Amino acid sequence: MDPHKGATLCPLQWMGLKGCPGCGLGHAIHYVLHGQWALAWHSHPLGFFAVPMLLYRSFQLGKQQVQIFHYLKNNPA
């Protein structure tokens, strides 16, 4: 799967500009998750740091949702 192909939601690419940092970070995350290190670094060097931060935040939000569920289950209104 190539993240460079297909429709885009990027307004900078709609205007014909190349090298959008947001798109580059998205592509880098895709490449990191698929083990393509050189392409990830070439797309955006911060992609390597973004993946652990996104995973941490996802687990943090999941944990918060479980805590809220248990609170609401044990303290009905």
Side-chain angles (χ1 to χ4, degrees):
M1 177 178 202
D2 185 5
H4 294 285
K5 292 183 181 178
T8 181
L9 298 174
C10 178
L12 294 177
Q13 286 191 2
W14 291 342
M15 293 186 292
L17 300 174
K18 298 292 181 191
C20 170
C23 293
L25 186 59
H27 294 153
I29 291 169
H30 171 87
Y31 290 136
V32 167
L33 293 175
H34 286 87
Q36 299 173 332
W37 315 120
L39 288 173
W41 183 263
H42 180 70
S43 292
H44 201 298
L46 292 179
F48 290 101
F49 302 107
V51 170
M53 290 186 342
L54 288 171
L55 290 173
Y56 171 76
R57 184 62 178 149
S58 296
F59 284 115
Q60 189 181 37
L61 290 172
K63 180 181 172 185
Q64 182 182 29
Q65 290 298 314
V66 169
Q67 290 173 342
I68 291 171
F69 172 77
H70 286 297
Y71 175 79
L72 293 174
K73 182 180 174 185
N74 296 327
N75 301 306

